[in-house]
Amino acid sequence: MGKKKFSGLEISLIVLFCLVVIVACILVALLATGQPGLQDFSPDCPAVNVAERIDCIPDRVATKITDPNKKRFEVPHEYVEAFGGPAASNLKYKVDIIQNPFGITVMRMSSGTILFNTSIGPLQYADQYLQLSIKLPTGNIYGIGEHVHTQYRHDVNWRTWPIFTRDAFPNGGTHNLYGAHTFFLCLENNSGASFGVFLMNSNAMEFVLQPAPAATYRTTGGILDFYVFLGDTPEQVVREYVKLIGMPAMPSYWSLGFQLSRWNYTSLDELKVVVARNRAIGIPYEIQYTDIDYMEEKKDFTYDQEKFKDLPKFAVDLHDHGQKYIIILDPAIAISPLLNKTSYLTYERGMNKAVWVNESDGQTKLIGEVWPGRTVFPDYTNPECTNWWVEECKLFYDQVKYDGIWIIGADICGFFDNVTEELCRRWMQVGAFYPFCRNHNAENYAPQDPAVFGADSVLVRSSKNYLNIRYTLLPYLYTLFYKAHTQGDTVVRPLLHEFYSDDATWAIDRQFLWGPGLLITPVLDPGVETVTAYIPDAVWYDYETGRREVWRKQQAQMYLPADKLGLHLRGGYIFPIQQPANTTLYSRKNPMGLIIALDDKGQAAGDLFWDDGETRDTVETKNYVHYQFSVTNVTHVTGLKLELGKSYLLEWNQELNNNEKFNCHPSPNATQQNCEALNCIWKVTHVTGLKLELGKSYLLEWNQELNNNEKFNCHPSPNATQQNCEALNCIWKPVSTGNDPSCYYPSDYGYSVSQITYTSSGLSVNLNRNGNYANRAKDSTTPINILRLDVKYHENNMLQFKIYDYNNKRYEVPVPLNIPSSPTSTYENRLYEVAIQNNPFGIQIRRKSTGTVIWDSQVPGFTFSDMFIQISTRLPSEYVYGFGETEHTTFRRDMNWNTWGMFAKDQPPGLIGRPVMPPYWALGFQLCRYGYKNDIEISDLYEAMKAARIPYDVQYADIDYMDRQLDFTLSPNFTGLPALVDRMKKEGMRFIIILVWPDFPNVVVNESLDWDTQVQLYRAYAAFPDFFRNTTAQWWQREIREYHTNPNQPEKSVKFDGLWIDMNEPASFVHGAVEDCRNQELNNPPYMPRLESQSRGLNHKTLCMESEQFLPDGTPVRHYDVHNLYGWSHTKPTYDALQSTTNERGIVITRSTYPSSGKWAGHWLGDNTAAWDQLYKSIIGMMEFSLFGISYTGADICGFFNDAEYYMCARWMQLGAFYPFSRNHNTIGTKRQDPVAFDEQFENISRDVLNIRYTLLPYLYTLMYEAHVHGSTVVRPVLHEFVEDKKTWDVYKQFLWGPALLISPVLENATSVLAYIPNARWYDYYTEEYIGLKGQSYNLSAPLEHINLHIRGGYIIPWQDPANNTFYSRQNSMGLTVALDDNGFAQGQLYWDDGKSTDAYEQGAYLLETFNASQSVLEIKVLNNGYTDPNNLKFDEIKILGVVRGPLAVTVKQNGVTVPSLHNVNYDATKELLHITGLQLELGKPYSVDWSSQGSLVEDNEKFNCYPDSGASEENCTARGCIWQIYDANNKRYEVPVPLFLPSTPTSTEAGRLYEVTIKNNPFGIQIRRKSTGTIM
């Protein structure tokens, strides 16, 4: 209820007057008595035998200081009585009395901690001033009231809190409020040890805190009567305290429902409208109040016979709807008669019984003034007053059937002031979890009941949702009240009461618990949708989705939009629930159920108290049922719901771990049926159809049958049997169809977490193997008992986790990674969150922005042994890409029980550093063949290619050029090769040689024999260089240098430009070694991955696994560990040797790769076959190597093995023209397949498509720069650009060059191709017209000579006129194709250097230009001008696609000044193509090109205000070069008056902004660009 308001001046005068009166009274008393104001009292402490001391109970001590010469007032508490029993034993404390000066100490026996020490300050004991100070062990102090505290843990920095009950505003400051509570709790340490202090004194007082830490009580009278309570936990201390003062009352069940009130319902009619509208919206709505408005002249036990004349009927109507009615009663009783001048009988009866508070004479009733005017005050300490009050309540109940009386309360949405919708909505959310849940406000303010905000408002929807949840959980809340009433437990519970061992919880006061199990995280600030919440160390489940959270013992960024608050169930608890209804009268009739939230051990417990909800003293009379629930030995069943009272079939869905990605059914009442109807996964085990009667005991058992998709293969080797499965401690259940495993891990197989250590940049975990499972037969596969997990948050978008045996050093991959020397991430900016799960151990990684769990390894089967390591993870979707190098038939992996082996091998296919920057010439077309007979054949091929004018940059020589395939030799058939290479290079060509293994000398190989026989008869022994060694790298570099520049025979120098390293898996023609291998277990390990020739061991076609190599630091390693690194170790020494030899960038092509190989080399996709299916598989391979960080990649065009068929080879030439590494290559014994090997038509097809490639090389080279510098992809899956379009997720027969060029090749013998056109504006590359298709598949025409290419609107592609090779093409004119998007924008860039120097980018020796087109202006800017091309290159042609109107003129400007330009303009209105030729825009200089549209074609809705400021006239408008039309510019324009939540000053930083802003000119415009993508928004 409210109070009378005074003005600020009135309040000031009243306070001043009171102070003057008080001071005057004190001075008069002192002068009259001659006494000092404070009379010190130093008590004598008589020696008392220890045995005679009376200690009440082992964990409670009472200390009472009184005046032995004068009886003083003591609080007459009905529950606190003098103790008269025997002394307690086994005390938890020791009390000592300190003499001179007097002091009391209380020490905890178990720790020796002094809890209570009064010797810190003097005891003051006078008639009206008593003071005692207490030294405390810590500053973790809670309690004391009633005040408005801004934090739960007290500030000990000299704070004073007055205690004296008063009708004051609860709006801040340290003001004393309505209640007086002198109890505080002190948490000693993270063991949970706590104690409480209670001063039994009811006088006006102060409680003072200071940093010592210490607390001081100062009171104005009474005695010092202290009680100290010791507990092992904070909750225990509270229990002891309430046992002393009396247990909390047991409320009626209905009083836990939602309640509505308001001061100043002006009439019953208005009240009925409020009730009707809130019933109509269907929210749970239990109780309606009336404030003093219902009374006649605000007199208790009356009602207004005019405005509220039908109040008795109104109460009956509420009851008829299952609702309750509560009235307010103020204690002050009016002394005036009623309106009709009749006696106010309540007052008269009180007078007759003398129940009023009297003045100091003890006779005269004290008269005050409250709401009804002059009043008296009942003396409730008088038993006769109690009788009178009860009788008055009964008499009024006979008139109006109320259900409760209101004498105190808390107000949802606030009492004073008008509330905003947002504030009230957020308050309704948190208020739904107040034990006393009432919305109430004052007169003269707008109504704030939920319905007033609109039936379909967010507030109503949100309130309805959370009140329904409240009503669902009322059985749980009611049970908590039972425990409070019988045991003294808290209902609303601070987090520290449950998680006291975690000091992060000690100061949390913006979250709270219901009991031990329900965590409530409200939004408490305006304009906020993301809350920093603390998630304590337990398993937690999102209440509304059932999802198991990844957060644990950490802060979390919780996304809580307008209609949400955080609500989480704690694992290990069982929650009784009931189907909600609008009131508890109906909800109590509904079916009940249980939510079982399992902990790490698969266990949970809970209970339910149930009675009729209304009858008094049911606990004392035992008229109730009390259920206890427990679940044990269940693993991974989460969110189990048992509903009682419904007749359904037993339903079961064993998707056991609740890690949903997104809530698929956010509406209430989700069921398995309507969930699966949405094609979603039902992941809550829901048991229905049970008929479990209240009051009876039951045992519920269930068998855990794993869903096949939740099984993890325990016997991945072939030929699993029940015997060898069970020998692995696994479960055997044969399957007859499909690839589901018959042998799978038990659900708790793995490791458990024993200790977690958190730091700001990561965490460490000790892992213990589950000892329930016996060791395996072989030590090499028996899991290691103790492991360590380290998680490092390296960067905001990258983390690392490493699991290792910290007791024994093991081999670790010696590949250096580009990670910061120390983590640079911050909690606020990390894109991820990590949680450690237990039983079995697992790691969960969640994307913060969406809550999606992207890695979840809490699945059975994690194994870590010497020779077998396995880790599995759940994935958030089935869209998985990558893993290699293996031949895949789709880009997206098939998740249906597929296994891919990874072990580098000479096998025909079927963080790592940014990709190498290839030389420009390496982007040209390349020719190779295994089987050139001599250098003349190569020379003839070269001349034929020149004659056919087919672009061509690089010629290879395969092993044919060597003598017996010996590296660094020259075959007698190739003695002319050095001169041929020199001649070709003079004509702009480049040459690459291969390096491999040898044959025996002077033999002719009979290739009709089988391979193993050929090896035995003809192949020479070979040694394998250990490229890890520094000495090997030095030797290798010398051999390469001397082959390039022969120091002894210069005429034999082969001036190669690149090196091709093959067979470096390493491949061997014998299995292991000539003399066989020595270590059977290493070459045929207990677990053999699913590799090619799996049955033949790891040494098949490679080295013995026990072979020894040495790392650069001299550490010996087994080939078993580093086999997959052989090609990687071979690559960098080769690249370094090439560059030091040629003094140019060069290129290395390697067959075997490992993460980071792309820093030094390109890769071809291996020895493929001339078959149609290899075309689309090559696209998959390129896209995968884009993921692997190797941009310079491609397949052997037209196939390596078998003869290439004409049409297939033609189509492959078209596709291969868009491989970054574009090489036609085949093997010995097959027909030629080079472009001049077929006919003129084939030559034309090859020439045309390669001319397109060469035209686009500036764009491709720029993409290579982007990959090298920024790590972006060159060959790009369509989904990378159109990830929002799910149809692109399965596209693998088309691909992009960067973001802008879509390639849709023909991959079968056909003349059309079904292509998917993503959702963008696309132009046909050839016709340069907009194709008018978006977001759909279309059958594109593709005659043999045509490959479909499309340019994406919004991008600018630089190009150059082609030539026979890049030496000449780089001298040609350049151009730009500007493809405008739907908004008329486009952007692009050009990277340019000399095309061959090493480290050109790193040394700044390059040119970087950006292009931006908008509003009919193309801006060319130079961002880096470190290179000047010697050919004086110019852009002489610009094509602008998508120009909807012809230009009035085209002007060229430099630095805003028009420059002369003799260009030609051609506009094709049909194609909407603007073609500008004859330009002279020099490379390396900034320009703007402006094409202004014809003014007559400007439509009204495309006109822009040229003179928006005042004073516009035709004269000054036209002076600006604008068109005059009359507008009223003199009137102030309307601006939207909606306040926005903007910072008072900008808080962004240049580094942190996600956007860039550019002001454009001629005409003015604003461009806002997303930094990460370059998209102009």
Side-chain angles (χ1 to χ4, degrees), residues 1 55 191 266 362 525 673 744 835 953 1133 1221 1273 1300 1365 1428 1571:
M1 193 190 77
D55 296 297
S191 72
T266 59
D525 296 301
Q673 181 180 1
Y744 58 92
D953 258 84
F1221 171 52
T1273 57
N1365 60 50
T1428 301
K1571 278 186 180 179

Side-chain angles (χ1 to χ4, degrees), residues 1113-1140:
D1113 64 1
T1115 302
V1117 288
R1118 300 173 301 188
H1119 189 72
Y1120 178 85
D1121 293 313
V1122 298
H1123 170 86
N1124 282 349
L1125 298 181
Y1126 192 88
W1128 175 86
S1129 69
H1130 187 193
T1131 302
K1132 187 177 186 300
T1134 305
Y1135 187 59
D1136 292 342
L1138 173 68
Q1139 291 195 338
S1140 69

Side-chain angles (χ1 to χ4, degrees), residues 913-915 917 1191 1262-1273 1276 1389 1391 1401-1402 1406 1408 1423 1571-1572:
R914 291 179 178 137
M917 185 67 190
S1191 296
T1262 302
L1263 293 177
M1264 288 290 178
Y1265 148 78
E1266 284 284 338
H1268 178 63
V1269 175
H1270 302 295
S1272 57
T1273 57
R1276 190 167 299 176
Q1389 62 179 347
Y1391 172 86
Y1401 169 76
E1402 288 73 12
Y1406 67 92
L1408 183 63
L1423 299 189
K1571 278 186 180 179
S1572 60

